[in-house]
Amino acid sequence: MTTPSDDAAKPVPVRVVLPADPLLGHPEQEVVARLWRRRQTATGWLYLVGLPSYRDLEDGGVEAAEYRVWVRAPEHVRPVDGVDYDQVPTEPLPPPPPKSSVREVLGERRPSGWVLAKAREGRGPARGVLHAPDCEEAPHDSPLLDVQRALDAAENPGTRLCTLCGCAQELTPMLRGFDSIDSSDAGPGL
């Protein structure tokens, strides 16, 4: 709890909606409180309001006080007619961090791991295709494989590596060694 002298800002009146209590039969109520500050968050606005309260004194007496709490706006606050809220200290949502130049050039990273799409079961060795998790051909209900499990699956003669999503380009050097990359695998200009 705080007293009005605890803050140098000058509060303005605002209506605060108190919740209903159906067990006690109390309907929703509004009380006039003091608005100290506003803060924008990713999920909406919060208002720091001072609700009238009482405080016990050491000598057994009671004095008026203020209980400050953050409440959601507009769900729990209403304006008071004729009050100017332009002077209330306001903290806007901070701007998002700037994208790095590397991220701007390369784009967002794809999810880590690989996904094994199993082919129809039949005779012969197990068959399947390894994909990046965001590949259009990847099954959405398969678990993500870490690099070791993906390499183990790739060593199976019945497993292919998808060339659409880059799985083949990422895993082939780890399977066969980096010396196995020739100019046709390396891309244009190399």
Side-chain angles (χ1 to χ4, degrees):
M1 279 202 257
T2 60
T3 59
S5 62
D6 291 342
D7 201 310
K10 189 168 184 171
V12 295
V14 67
R15 294 187 189 283
V16 176
V17 179
L18 300 177
D21 189 343
L23 294 176
L24 296 176
H26 294 281
E28 190 176 86
Q29 299 177 35
E30 284 187 5
V31 296
V32 176
R34 299 186 326 159
L35 176 59
W36 288 94
R37 144 175 331 288
R38 299 181 286 196
R39 177 182 296 157
Q40 187 179 21
T41 69
T43 59
W45 285 91
L46 296 175
Y47 282 29
L48 180 62
V49 297
L51 297 165
S53 182
Y54 292 99
R55 152 172 61 206
D56 291 329
L57 298 173
E58 288 183 18
D59 66 3
V62 176
E63 73 176 359
E66 181 177 75
Y67 177 73
R68 291 189 189 175
V69 62
W70 288 98
V71 296
R72 292 222 166 270
E75 299 95 317
H76 304 292
V77 292
R78 307 276 186 273
V80 172
D81 291 338
V83 175
D84 179 17
Y85 293 98
D86 290 340
Q87 302 307 313
V88 175
T90 303
E91 301 170 28
L93 189 64
K99 280 189 168 184
S100 73
S101 57
V102 171
R103 196 56 55 222
E104 285 182 31
V105 171
L106 297 178
E108 294 301 317
R109 293 181 60 181
R110 73 164 177 82
S112 62
W114 290 271
V115 177
L116 179 61
K118 294 182 180 176
R120 284 180 264 146
E121 293 189 31
R123 295 189 155 181
R127 301 199 179 278
V129 181
L130 268 174
H131 299 278
D134 57 349
C135 180
E136 292 177 8
E137 304 291 323
H140 298 287
D141 56 349
S142 294
L144 282 178
L145 304 176
D146 63 17
V147 69
Q148 188 57 53
R149 291 184 63 204
L151 290 171
D152 291 345
E155 287 179 336
N156 182 332
T159 301
R160 278 187 319 107
L161 304 179
C162 179
T163 55
L164 297 174
C165 63
C167 182
Q169 292 83 350
E170 291 178 28
L171 294 180
T172 299
M174 289 188 268
L175 285 169
R176 299 192 185 118
F178 289 93
D179 294 336
S180 69
I181 300 174
D182 63 22
S183 60
S184 64
D185 292 335
L190 296 177

